[in-house]
Coordinates of all heavy atoms in Angstrom, one line a residue:
M1 N 2.6 0.5 1.7 CA 1.2 0.4 1.3 C 1.1 -0.8 0.5 O 2.0 -1.3 -0.4 CB 0.9 1.6 0.4 CG -0.5 1.4 0.1 SD -1.3 2.9 -0.9 CE -0.2 3.1 -2.1
S2 N -0.1 -1.7 0.7 CA -0.3 -2.7 -0.1 C -1.6 -2.7 -0.9 O -2.5 -2.0 -0.5 CB -0.5 -3.9 0.9 OG 0.8 -4.0 1.5
I3 N -1.5 -3.3 -2.0 CA -2.8 -3.4 -2.8 C -3.2 -4.8 -3.1 O -2.2 -5.5 -3.6 CB -2.7 -2.5 -4.1 CG1 -2.5 -1.0 -3.8 CG2 -3.9 -2.7 -5.1 CD1 -2.1 -0.2 -4.9
F4 N -4.3 -5.2 -2.9 CA -4.7 -6.6 -3.3 C -5.5 -6.5 -4.6 O -6.7 -5.9 -4.4 CB -5.5 -7.2 -2.0 CG -5.8 -8.6 -2.3 CD1 -4.9 -9.5 -2.2 CD2 -7.2 -8.9 -2.5 CE1 -5.2 -10.9 -2.4 CE2 -7.4 -10.3 -2.8 CZ -6.6 -11.3 -2.7
V5 N -5.3 -7.3 -5.6 CA -5.9 -7.1 -6.8 C -6.3 -8.6 -7.2 O -5.5 -9.5 -7.3 CB -4.9 -6.5 -7.9 CG1 -5.8 -6.5 -9.2 CG2 -4.6 -5.2 -7.6
N6 N -7.6 -8.6 -7.6 CA -8.1 -10.0 -8.4 C -8.3 -9.6 -9.8 O -9.2 -8.8 -10.1 CB -9.3 -10.4 -7.7 CG -9.3 -11.1 -6.4 OD1 -8.3 -11.8 -6.2 ND2 -10.1 -10.9 -5.4
T7 N -7.5 -10.1 -10.7 CA -7.6 -10.0 -12.1 C -8.9 -10.9 -12.6 O -9.1 -11.9 -12.0 CB -6.4 -10.4 -12.8 OG1 -6.0 -11.6 -12.5 CG2 -5.3 -9.3 -12.5
K8 N -9.3 -10.4 -13.6 CA -10.5 -11.2 -14.3 C -10.0 -12.5 -15.1 O -10.9 -13.4 -15.1 CB -11.3 -10.2 -15.2 CG -11.9 -9.1 -14.4 CD -12.7 -8.2 -15.4 CE -13.1 -6.8 -14.6 NZ -13.6 -5.9 -15.6
N9 N -8.9 -12.2 -15.7 CA -8.5 -13.4 -16.5 C -6.9 -13.5 -16.6 O -6.4 -12.6 -16.1 CB -9.3 -13.4 -17.9 CG -8.8 -12.1 -18.5 OD1 -7.7 -11.6 -18.5 ND2 -10.0 -11.4 -19.1
E10 N -6.4 -14.5 -17.3 CA -5.0 -14.7 -17.3 C -4.4 -13.6 -18.2 O -3.2 -13.1 -17.7 CB -4.7 -16.0 -17.9 CG -3.1 -16.3 -17.8 CD -3.0 -17.8 -18.3 OE1 -3.8 -18.6 -18.4 OE2 -1.8 -18.0 -18.8
Q11 N -5.1 -13.1 -19.2 CA -4.4 -11.9 -20.0 C -4.3 -10.7 -19.1 O -3.2 -10.1 -19.1 CB -5.4 -11.7 -21.1 CG -4.8 -10.5 -22.0 CD -3.5 -10.8 -22.6 OE1 -3.1 -12.1 -22.8 NE2 -2.7 -9.7 -23.0
E12 N -5.2 -10.4 -18.2 CA -5.2 -9.2 -17.5 C -4.1 -9.4 -16.4 O -3.4 -8.4 -16.1 CB -6.6 -9.1 -16.6 CG -7.1 -7.7 -16.6 CD -8.4 -7.7 -16.0 OE1 -8.6 -8.1 -14.8 OE2 -9.4 -7.1 -16.4
E13 N -4.1 -10.5 -15.9 CA -2.9 -10.8 -14.9 C -1.5 -10.6 -15.6 O -0.6 -10.0 -14.9 CB -2.9 -12.3 -14.4 CG -2.0 -12.5 -13.3 CD -2.1 -14.0 -12.7 OE1 -3.1 -14.6 -13.1 OE2 -1.1 -14.3 -12.1
K14 N -1.2 -11.1 -16.7 CA 0.0 -10.8 -17.5 C 0.3 -9.4 -17.7 O 1.5 -8.9 -17.6 CB 0.0 -11.7 -18.8 CG 0.1 -13.1 -18.6 CD 0.0 -13.9 -19.9 CE 0.0 -15.3 -19.8 NZ -0.1 -16.0 -21.1
V15 N -0.8 -8.7 -18.1 CA -0.6 -7.2 -18.4 C -0.3 -6.6 -17.1 O 0.7 -5.6 -17.1 CB -1.8 -6.6 -19.1 CG1 -1.7 -5.1 -19.1 CG2 -1.9 -7.2 -20.4
L16 N -0.8 -6.8 -16.0 CA -0.6 -6.1 -14.7 C 0.9 -6.5 -14.3 O 1.7 -5.7 -13.9 CB -1.6 -6.6 -13.7 CG -1.4 -6.2 -12.3 CD1 -1.4 -4.5 -12.3 CD2 -2.4 -6.6 -11.4
I17 N 1.2 -7.8 -14.4 CA 2.6 -8.2 -14.0 C 3.7 -7.6 -14.8 O 4.6 -7.0 -14.3 CB 2.7 -9.7 -13.9 CG1 1.9 -10.3 -12.8 CG2 4.3 -10.1 -13.8 CD1 1.7 -11.9 -12.9
A18 N 3.4 -7.3 -16.1 CA 4.4 -6.7 -17.0 C 4.5 -5.3 -16.6 O 5.6 -4.7 -16.6 CB 3.9 -6.7 -18.5
F19 N 3.4 -4.6 -16.2 CA 3.4 -3.2 -15.8 C 4.1 -3.1 -14.5 O 5.1 -2.2 -14.4 CB 2.0 -2.6 -15.6 CG 1.8 -1.4 -15.1 CD1 2.1 -0.2 -15.8 CD2 1.5 -1.3 -13.7 CE1 2.2 1.1 -15.2 CE2 1.5 0.0 -13.1 CZ 1.7 1.2 -13.9
L20 N 3.9 -3.9 -13.5 CA 4.7 -3.7 -12.2 C 6.0 -4.1 -12.4 O 7.0 -3.3 -11.9 CB 4.0 -4.9 -11.3 CG 2.6 -4.6 -10.9 CD1 2.1 -5.7 -10.0 CD2 2.4 -3.4 -10.1
D21 N 6.5 -5.1 -13.4 CA 7.9 -5.5 -13.6 C 8.5 -4.1 -14.3 O 9.7 -3.8 -14.0 CB 8.1 -6.6 -14.5 CG 7.7 -7.8 -13.7 OD1 7.8 -7.7 -12.5 OD2 7.5 -8.9 -14.4
S22 N 7.9 -3.5 -15.2 CA 8.5 -2.4 -15.9 C 8.8 -1.2 -14.9 O 9.6 -0.5 -15.3 CB 7.6 -1.9 -17.1 OG 6.4 -1.2 -16.5
L23 N 8.0 -1.2 -13.9 CA 8.3 0.1 -12.9 C 9.1 -0.4 -11.8 O 9.4 0.2 -10.8 CB 7.0 0.6 -12.5 CG 6.3 1.4 -13.7 CD1 4.9 1.8 -13.1 CD2 7.0 2.5 -14.2
D24 N 9.6 -1.7 -11.9 CA 10.3 -2.4 -10.7 C 9.6 -2.4 -9.4 O 10.2 -2.0 -8.3 CB 11.7 -1.7 -10.7 CG 12.6 -2.5 -9.9 OD1 12.6 -3.8 -10.0 OD2 13.7 -1.9 -9.4
Y25 N 8.3 -2.6 -9.4 CA 7.6 -2.7 -8.1 C 7.7 -4.1 -7.6 O 7.8 -5.1 -8.3 CB 6.0 -2.4 -8.4 CG 5.6 -1.0 -8.5 CD1 5.3 -0.5 -9.7 CD2 5.5 -0.2 -7.5 CE1 4.9 0.9 -9.9 CE2 5.2 1.2 -7.5 CZ 4.9 1.6 -8.9 OH 4.5 2.9 -8.8
K26 N 7.8 -4.1 -6.2 CA 7.8 -5.5 -5.6 C 6.4 -5.9 -5.5 O 5.5 -5.1 -5.0 CB 8.5 -5.3 -4.3 CG 9.9 -4.9 -4.3 CD 10.5 -4.8 -3.0 CE 11.9 -4.2 -3.1 NZ 12.5 -3.8 -1.8
Y27 N 6.0 -7.2 -5.6 CA 4.7 -7.7 -5.6 C 4.9 -9.2 -5.2 O 5.9 -9.7 -5.4 CB 3.9 -7.4 -6.8 CG 4.5 -8.2 -8.0 CD1 4.1 -9.5 -8.4 CD2 5.4 -7.5 -8.9 CE1 4.7 -10.0 -9.5 CE2 5.9 -8.0 -10.0 CZ 5.5 -9.3 -10.3 OH 6.0 -10.0 -11.4
Q28 N 3.8 -9.7 -4.8 CA 3.7 -11.2 -4.5 C 2.6 -11.6 -5.3 O 1.4 -11.1 -5.3 CB 3.4 -11.3 -2.9 CG 3.4 -12.8 -2.5 CD 3.1 -12.8 -1.0 OE1 3.1 -11.8 -0.2 NE2 3.0 -14.1 -0.5
S29 N 2.8 -12.7 -6.0 CA 1.8 -13.4 -6.8 C 1.5 -14.8 -6.4 O 2.4 -15.5 -5.5 CB 2.1 -13.4 -8.3 OG 3.4 -14.0 -8.5
D30 N 0.6 -15.5 -7.1 CA 0.4 -16.8 -6.8 C -0.2 -17.1 -5.3 O 0.1 -18.1 -4.8 CB 1.6 -17.8 -7.2 CG 1.8 -17.7 -8.6 OD1 0.8 -17.5 -9.5 OD2 3.0 -17.9 -9.1
I31 N -0.8 -16.2 -4.8 CA -1.4 -16.4 -3.5 C -2.7 -17.3 -3.6 O -3.4 -17.1 -4.5 CB -1.7 -15.0 -2.8 CG1 -0.6 -14.2 -2.6 CG2 -2.6 -15.2 -1.5 CD1 -0.8 -12.8 -2.3
S32 N -2.9 -18.3 -2.8 CA -4.1 -19.1 -2.8 C -5.2 -18.3 -2.8 O -5.3 -17.3 -2.3 CB -4.0 -20.0 -1.7 OG -5.2 -20.7 -1.5
E33 N -6.3 -18.8 -3.5 CA -7.6 -18.2 -3.4 C -8.5 -18.6 -2.2 O -9.6 -18.2 -2.2 CB -8.3 -18.4 -4.8 CG -7.6 -17.8 -5.9 CD -8.4 -17.8 -7.2 OE1 -9.7 -17.8 -7.2 OE2 -7.7 -17.7 -8.2
E34 N -7.9 -19.4 -1.3 CA -8.6 -19.7 0.0 C -8.7 -18.5 0.8 O -7.7 -17.9 1.1 CB -7.8 -20.9 0.6 CG -7.9 -22.2 0.0 CD -9.3 -22.8 -0.1 OE1 -10.0 -22.6 0.9 OE2 -9.6 -23.4 -1.2
P35 N -10.0 -18.2 1.3 CA -10.0 -17.0 1.9 C -9.2 -16.9 3.3 O -8.7 -15.9 3.7 CB -11.5 -17.0 2.4 CG -12.3 -17.8 1.3 CD -11.3 -18.9 0.9
A36 N -9.1 -18.0 3.9 CA -8.2 -18.0 5.1 C -6.7 -17.7 4.7 O -6.2 -17.0 5.5 CB -8.3 -19.3 5.8
E37 N -6.2 -18.2 3.7 CA -4.8 -17.9 3.3 C -4.7 -16.6 2.8 O -3.8 -15.9 3.1 CB -4.5 -18.9 2.3 CG -4.2 -20.3 2.8 CD -3.7 -21.2 1.7 OE1 -2.8 -20.9 1.0 OE2 -4.3 -22.3 1.7
I38 N -5.7 -16.1 2.1 CA -5.7 -14.6 1.7 C -5.6 -13.7 2.9 O -4.8 -12.7 3.1 CB -6.9 -14.2 0.8 CG1 -6.8 -15.0 -0.6 CG2 -7.0 -12.8 0.5 CD1 -8.0 -14.8 -1.4
A39 N -6.5 -14.0 3.9 CA -6.6 -13.2 5.2 C -5.2 -13.2 5.8 O -4.8 -12.2 6.4 CB -7.6 -13.6 6.1
T40 N -4.6 -14.3 5.9 CA -3.3 -14.4 6.6 C -2.2 -13.7 5.9 O -1.6 -12.9 6.6 CB -2.9 -16.0 6.7 OG1 -4.0 -16.8 7.3 CG2 -1.5 -16.2 7.3
V41 N -2.2 -13.8 4.6 CA -1.1 -13.0 3.8 C -1.5 -11.5 4.2 O -0.4 -10.7 4.3 CB -1.2 -13.4 2.3 CG1 -0.3 -12.3 1.6 CG2 -0.8 -14.8 2.1
F42 N -2.7 -11.1 4.0 CA -2.9 -9.7 4.3 C -2.6 -9.1 5.6 O -2.1 -8.1 5.8 CB -4.5 -9.5 4.0 CG -4.9 -8.1 4.3 CD1 -4.7 -6.9 3.5 CD2 -5.6 -7.8 5.4 CE1 -5.1 -5.8 3.6 CE2 -6.0 -6.4 5.7 CZ -5.8 -5.4 4.9
L43 N -3.0 -9.8 6.6 CA -2.8 -9.5 8.0 C -1.3 -9.5 8.3 O -0.9 -8.7 9.1 CB -3.5 -10.5 8.9 CG -5.0 -10.3 9.0 CD1 -5.6 -11.3 9.9 CD2 -5.4 -9.0 9.3
D44 N -0.6 -10.5 7.7 CA 0.9 -10.5 7.9 C 1.5 -9.1 7.4 O 2.4 -8.5 8.1 CB 1.6 -11.7 7.3 CG 1.3 -12.9 8.1 OD1 0.8 -12.9 9.2 OD2 1.5 -14.1 7.5
Q45 N 1.2 -8.7 6.1 CA 1.7 -7.4 5.6 C 1.2 -6.4 6.3 O 2.0 -5.4 6.5 CB 1.2 -7.5 4.1 CG 1.6 -6.2 3.4 CD 3.1 -6.2 3.2 OE1 3.8 -7.2 2.9 NE2 3.7 -5.0 3.2
Y46 N -0.1 -6.3 6.8 CA -0.6 -5.2 7.6 C 0.2 -4.9 8.8 O 0.5 -4.0 9.2 CB -2.0 -5.5 7.9 CG -2.7 -4.3 8.5 CD1 -3.1 -3.2 7.8 CD2 -3.2 -4.3 9.8 CE1 -3.8 -2.2 8.5 CE2 -3.9 -3.5 10.3 CZ -4.2 -2.2 9.7 OH -4.8 -1.2 10.4
D47 N 0.5 -6.1 9.5 CA 1.2 -6.2 10.8 C 2.7 -5.6 10.5 O 3.1 -4.7 11.3 CB 1.4 -7.4 11.4 CG 0.0 -7.9 12.1 OD1 -0.9 -7.0 12.3 OD2 -0.1 -9.1 12.3
Q48 N 3.3 -6.0 9.4 CA 4.7 -5.4 9.0 C 4.5 -3.9 8.8 O 5.5 -3.3 9.4 CB 5.2 -6.1 7.8 CG 5.6 -7.6 8.1 CD 5.9 -8.2 6.7 OE1 6.2 -7.5 5.7 NE2 6.1 -9.5 6.7
E49 N 3.6 -3.4 8.2 CA 3.5 -2.0 7.8 C 3.2 -1.2 9.1 O 3.6 -0.1 9.3 CB 2.2 -1.7 6.8 CG 2.6 -2.3 5.4 CD 1.5 -2.1 4.5 OE1 0.6 -1.4 4.7 OE2 1.7 -2.6 3.4
L50 N 2.4 -1.8 10.1 CA 2.2 -1.2 11.4 C 3.4 -1.1 12.2 O 3.7 -0.1 12.9 CB 1.1 -1.9 12.2 CG -0.3 -1.7 11.8 CD1 -1.3 -2.7 12.5 CD2 -0.8 -0.3 11.9
D51 N 4.2 -2.2 12.2 CA 5.5 -2.2 13.0 C 6.4 -1.2 12.3 O 7.0 -0.3 13.1 CB 6.1 -3.6 12.8 CG 5.4 -4.6 13.6 OD1 4.5 -4.2 14.5 OD2 5.7 -5.8 13.4
Q52 N 6.4 -1.0 11.1 CA 7.3 0.0 10.3 C 6.8 1.5 10.8 O 7.7 2.2 11.1 CB 7.3 -0.2 8.9 CG 8.2 0.9 8.2 CD 9.7 0.7 8.5 OE1 10.1 -0.4 8.8 NE2 10.3 1.9 8.6
A53 N 5.5 1.6 10.7 CA 5.0 3.0 11.2 C 5.4 3.3 12.6 O 5.7 4.4 12.9 CB 3.4 3.1 11.0
D54 N 5.2 2.3 13.5 CA 5.5 2.5 15.0 C 7.0 2.9 15.0 O 7.4 3.8 15.8 CB 5.3 1.3 15.8 CG 3.8 1.0 16.1 OD1 3.1 2.0 15.9 OD2 3.4 -0.1 16.4
K55 N 7.9 2.3 14.3 CA 9.4 2.6 14.3 C 9.7 4.0 13.8 O 10.3 4.6 14.5 CB 10.2 1.5 13.5 CG 10.3 0.1 14.1 CD 11.0 -0.7 13.2 CE 10.9 -2.2 13.8 NZ 11.5 -3.2 12.8
E56 N 8.9 4.4 12.8 CA 9.2 5.7 12.4 C 8.5 6.7 13.3 O 9.3 7.8 13.5 CB 8.4 6.0 10.9 CG 9.0 5.2 9.8 CD 8.1 5.2 8.5 OE1 7.3 6.2 8.3 OE2 8.5 4.4 7.6
I57 N 7.5 6.5 14.0 CA 7.0 7.4 14.9 C 8.0 7.5 16.1 O 8.3 8.7 16.5 CB 5.7 7.1 15.4 CG1 4.6 7.2 14.3 CG2 5.1 7.8 16.8 CD1 3.2 6.6 14.5
E58 N 8.4 6.4 16.6 CA 9.4 6.5 17.7 C 10.7 7.1 17.3 O 11.2 7.7 18.3 CB 9.6 5.0 18.1 CG 8.5 4.3 18.7 CD 8.8 2.7 19.1 OE1 10.0 2.2 18.6 OE2 7.8 2.1 19.5
S59 N 11.1 7.0 16.1 CA 12.3 7.9 15.7 C 12.0 9.3 15.3 O 12.9 10.0 15.1 CB 13.0 7.2 14.6 OG 12.2 7.3 13.4
G60 N 10.7 9.7 15.6 CA 10.5 11.1 15.3 C 10.2 11.5 14.0 O 10.1 12.7 13.6
N61 N 9.9 10.4 13.1 CA 9.8 10.6 11.6 C 8.2 10.7 11.5 O 7.6 9.8 11.0 CB 10.3 9.5 10.8 CG 10.2 9.9 9.4 OD1 9.8 11.1 8.9 ND2 10.5 8.9 8.6
F62 N 7.6 11.9 11.7 CA 6.1 12.1 11.6 C 5.9 13.5 11.5 O 6.7 14.4 11.8 CB 5.3 11.4 12.8 CG 5.7 12.1 14.1 CD1 4.8 13.1 14.5 CD2 6.7 11.5 14.9 CE1 5.1 13.6 15.8 CE2 7.0 12.1 16.2 CZ 6.1 13.2 16.6
I63 N 4.6 13.9 11.2 CA 4.2 15.3 11.0 C 3.1 15.5 11.9 O 2.1 14.5 12.1 CB 3.8 15.6 9.5 CG1 3.4 17.1 9.5 CG2 2.7 14.7 9.0 CD1 3.4 17.5 8.0
S64 N 3.0 16.6 12.7 CA 1.9 16.8 13.6 C 0.7 17.2 12.9 O 0.6 17.6 11.8 CB 2.3 17.9 14.6 OG 2.3 19.1 14.0
H65 N -0.6 17.0 13.8 CA -1.8 17.3 13.1 C -1.8 18.9 12.7 O -2.4 19.3 11.8 CB -2.9 17.0 14.1 CG -4.3 17.2 13.6 ND1 -4.8 16.5 12.7 CD2 -5.1 18.2 14.0 CE1 -6.1 17.0 12.5 NE2 -6.3 18.0 13.2
G66 N -1.3 19.6 13.7 CA -1.2 21.1 13.4 C -0.6 21.5 12.2 O -0.9 22.4 11.5
A67 N 0.6 20.7 12.1 CA 1.3 21.0 10.7 C 0.6 20.7 9.4 O 0.7 21.4 8.5 CB 2.7 20.2 10.8
V68 N -0.3 19.6 9.6 CA -1.1 19.2 8.5 C -2.1 20.3 8.2 O -2.5 20.7 7.0 CB -1.7 17.9 8.7 CG1 -2.7 17.5 7.5 CG2 -0.7 16.7 8.8
E69 N -2.7 20.8 9.3 CA -3.7 21.8 9.1 C -3.1 23.1 8.5 O -3.8 23.6 7.6 CB -4.4 22.2 10.5 CG -5.3 21.0 10.9 CD -5.9 21.4 12.3 OE1 -5.4 22.3 12.9 OE2 -6.9 20.8 12.6
Q70 N -2.1 23.5 9.0 CA -1.4 24.6 8.3 C -1.1 24.4 6.8 O -1.3 25.3 6.0 CB 0.0 25.0 9.2 CG -0.3 25.5 10.4 CD 1.0 25.8 11.1 OE1 2.1 25.4 10.6 NE2 1.0 26.4 12.3
L71 N -0.7 23.2 6.6 CA -0.3 23.0 5.2 C -1.6 23.1 4.2 O -1.6 23.7 3.2 CB 0.1 21.5 4.9 CG 0.2 20.9 3.4 CD1 1.5 21.7 2.8 CD2 0.6 19.5 3.5
F72 N -2.8 22.6 4.7 CA -4.1 22.7 3.9 C -4.6 24.2 3.9 O -5.1 24.6 2.9 CB -5.1 21.8 4.5 CG -4.9 20.4 4.0 CD1 -4.6 19.4 5.0 CD2 -5.0 20.0 2.8 CE1 -4.5 18.1 4.6 CE2 -4.8 18.7 2.4 CZ -4.5 17.7 3.3
Q73 N -4.3 24.9 4.9 CA -4.7 26.3 4.9 C -3.8 27.2 3.8 O -4.4 27.9 3.1 CB -4.4 27.0 6.3 CG -5.5 26.5 7.3 CD -5.3 27.1 8.6 OE1 -4.2 27.8 8.9 NE2 -6.1 27.0 9.5
K74 N -2.5 26.8 3.7 CA -1.7 27.5 2.8 C -2.1 27.1 1.4 O -2.1 27.8 0.4 CB -0.3 27.0 3.0 CG 0.3 27.7 4.3 CD 1.9 27.3 4.5 CE 2.3 27.9 5.8 NZ 3.7 27.3 6.0
R75 N -2.5 25.8 1.1 CA -2.9 25.4 -0.2 C -4.2 26.0 -0.5 O -4.3 26.4 -1.7 CB -3.1 23.9 -0.2 CG -1.8 23.1 -0.2 CD -2.0 21.7 -0.1 NE -2.5 21.2 -1.3 CZ -3.0 19.9 -1.6 NH1 -3.0 19.0 -0.6 NH2 -3.5 19.5 -2.7
R76 N -5.1 26.2 0.3 CA -6.3 26.9 -0.1 C -6.1 28.4 -0.4 O -6.9 28.9 -1.3 CB -7.3 26.8 1.3 CG -8.0 25.6 1.4 CD -9.0 25.4 2.6 NE -9.4 24.1 2.9 CZ -9.3 23.7 4.0 NH1 -8.8 24.3 5.2 NH2 -9.6 22.4 4.2
K77 N -5.2 29.0 0.3 CA -5.0 30.4 0.0 C -4.2 30.5 -1.3 O -4.5 31.5 -2.1 CB -4.0 31.0 1.1 CG -4.7 31.2 2.4 CD -3.7 31.7 3.5 CE -4.4 31.9 4.8 NZ -3.5 32.3 5.8
A78 N -3.6 29.6 -1.7 CA -2.8 29.6 -2.9 C -3.7 29.4 -4.3 O -3.6 29.8 -5.3 CB -1.8 28.5 -3.0
I79 N -4.8 28.7 -3.9 CA -5.9 28.5 -4.9 C -6.8 29.7 -5.1 O -7.0 30.4 -5.9 CB -6.7 27.2 -4.6 CG1 -5.9 25.9 -4.4 CG2 -7.8 27.0 -5.7 CD1 -6.5 24.7 -4.1

């Protein structure tokens, strides 16, 4: 999953980066603010995530729609 964040100022950016570093998250910074470059970075990441999802589905690593419905039914009964 990817999240694209525009910070309001340099202080906010430093706090966010410190937080991400403290939790050992992987992130990419210093992306150009040119709309075409932002779109390219986003689409490249999106394509990688789609490829990964396809590989997981092909290897059988997924949950069926029926199983999800059963899970939600059980959760409703527990509440």
Side-chain angles (χ1 to χ4, degrees):
M1 175 174 60
S2 298
I3 299 173
F4 183 75
V5 178
N6 281 320
T7 54
K8 296 176 188 170
N9 55 48
E10 189 175 334
Q11 179 63 28
E12 225 178 53
E13 182 179 347
K14 288 179 182 179
V15 170
L16 179 60
I17 288 173
F19 173 74
L20 295 172
D21 287 340
S22 72
L23 295 175
D24 199 28
Y25 281 107
K26 295 177 184 171
Y27 61 89
Q28 184 177 354
S29 61
D30 296 328
I31 299 171
S32 169
E33 293 190 25
E34 289 294 319
E37 289 183 43
I38 292 171
T40 299
V41 170
F42 173 80
L43 290 174
D44 287 345
Q45 180 64 33
Y46 186 71
D47 286 343
Q48 289 175 12
E49 291 176 13
L50 286 175
D51 291 342
Q52 180 62 36
D54 285 342
K55 288 177 187 173
E56 289 179 16
I57 291 168
E58 289 171 4
S59 70
N61 186 14
F62 63 91
I63 186 168
S64 71
H65 181 75
V68 172
E69 288 179 344
Q70 288 178 351
L71 174 69
F72 281 115
Q73 286 176 355
K74 289 178 184 176
R75 288 180 64 193
R76 285 187 194 119
K77 289 178 185 176
I79 297 173

